[in-house]
Amino acid sequence: MTVSTILISSGSSQSILRVILTLFSLMLLLSIHRYSLFINFTLVFIALIAIQQWLVPITDGLLQFILLGIVGIFMNILPGFIVGFFTLFATKVSEFIAAMEKLKLPRTVIIPISVIFRFFPTIAEEYQHISHAMKLRGITFTRHFTKLIEYRVIPLIISVVQIGNDLSFTAMTRGIDAPNQRTNVCVVKLGWLDKLLMLIMLILWVIYFKEKFFQ
């Protein structure tokens, strides 16, 4: 929420905050050892900065408008997307549930979010399986572009419905909706890194509200 809200805002320090939050999101990828994604997103950001600094000034009219739109949209969306990716793939469902129960949140909030945590990774895995199956049958993106929807998207949609039901049943089987107090073996507590990140987010929100309401 912090990254997405501040990136779409405007202000005198917005460009500085964009750089800080972009670097922060890239560091998160390194922390979960996603080195290939780190390199790819770094190259994307370098390309966007190069377009903004050198290509946009020498263009005009419709082309300049399109380039500014591409740079603005991707520079503001990608950091939030990276942080969301990190949240989904770096958080264990059991630890998340333990933390939310410690915060005394209602089950009506905990259960849907815990299902979502497993939903997107499972969909990504299912799409990889579908892609491998299609490649074994010789149906590739370049050779059979018109069959892409029929042989990849439609099976994925059918799988999504089934995956959602399976994950819901799994959560219920594990007693996530039981009225009694659940026990867990997860050690959930605030460490020094958590406190540091909370302090950084607090500073960012102070800058955000200062520019919004006290400028």
Side-chain angles (χ1 to χ4, degrees):
M1 291 176 60
T2 301
V3 172
S4 300
T5 303
I6 292 178
L7 282 176
I8 63 175
S9 65
S10 59
S12 57
S13 62
Q14 199 254 356
S15 58
I16 300 175
L17 293 179
R18 178 189 286 122
V19 174
I20 294 174
L21 293 176
T22 300
L23 293 176
F24 169 73
S25 63
L26 292 174
M27 291 303 104
L28 291 179
L29 290 178
L30 286 180
S31 68
I32 57 174
H33 309 294
R34 297 278 180 162
Y35 301 114
S36 59
L37 284 177
F38 170 80
I39 294 173
N40 292 335
F41 280 118
T42 301
L43 293 176
V44 169
F45 281 117
I46 292 174
L48 292 173
I49 294 173
I51 292 174
Q52 186 178 21
Q53 295 295 325
W54 294 300
L55 194 56
V56 170
I58 62 175
T59 58
D60 57 1
L62 180 61
L63 179 59
Q64 187 181 55
F65 175 78
I66 294 174
L67 291 177
L68 285 173
I70 293 174
V71 171
I73 291 173
F74 281 95
M75 287 289 285
N76 292 335
I77 289 179
L78 280 181
F81 171 79
I82 295 173
V83 175
F85 176 88
F86 168 82
T87 304
L88 286 174
F89 286 89
T91 305
K92 295 181 180 179
V93 178
S94 56
E95 293 177 349
F96 169 79
I97 295 175
M100 295 301 101
E101 289 181 343
K102 207 166 185 178
L103 291 173
K104 307 299 182 182
L105 291 182
R107 296 289 177 86
T108 54
V109 175
I110 297 176
I111 294 175
I113 299 179
S114 63
V115 172
I116 290 174
F117 265 92
R118 288 303 309 150
F119 185 71
F120 290 105
T122 306
I123 289 178
E125 184 178 351
E126 185 68 20
Y127 182 76
Q128 290 180 354
H129 293 164
I130 294 173
S131 298
H132 293 160
M134 293 303 104
K135 287 180 181 179
L136 287 174
R137 290 165 174 78
I139 301 174
T140 60
F141 181 80
T142 55
R143 295 174 56 189
H144 302 86
F145 178 76
T146 55
K147 296 183 179 181
L148 179 66
I149 295 179
E150 181 180 358
Y151 290 100
R152 291 200 181 188
V153 178
I154 292 179
L156 182 63
I157 293 175
I158 297 174
S159 298
V160 164
V161 177
Q162 187 61 40
I163 288 170
N165 294 331
D166 292 343
L167 290 176
S168 299
F169 295 149
T170 302
M172 299 305 162
T173 303
R174 293 182 177 182
I176 195 174
D177 62 337
N180 301 326
Q181 182 68 30
R182 299 175 70 250
T183 59
N184 59 78
V185 296
C186 300
V187 179
V188 180
K189 62 180 181 179
L190 290 177
W192 66 269
L193 184 58
D194 300 301
K195 296 176 182 178
L196 176 61
L197 291 177
M198 291 172 67
L199 177 62
I200 293 174
M201 286 189 292
L202 178 61
I203 294 173
L204 292 174
W205 279 110
V206 169
I207 297 174
Y208 172 78
F209 285 115
K210 178 179 176 296
E211 290 196 346
K212 282 295 181 182
F213 302 105
F214 301 103
Q215 198 172 34

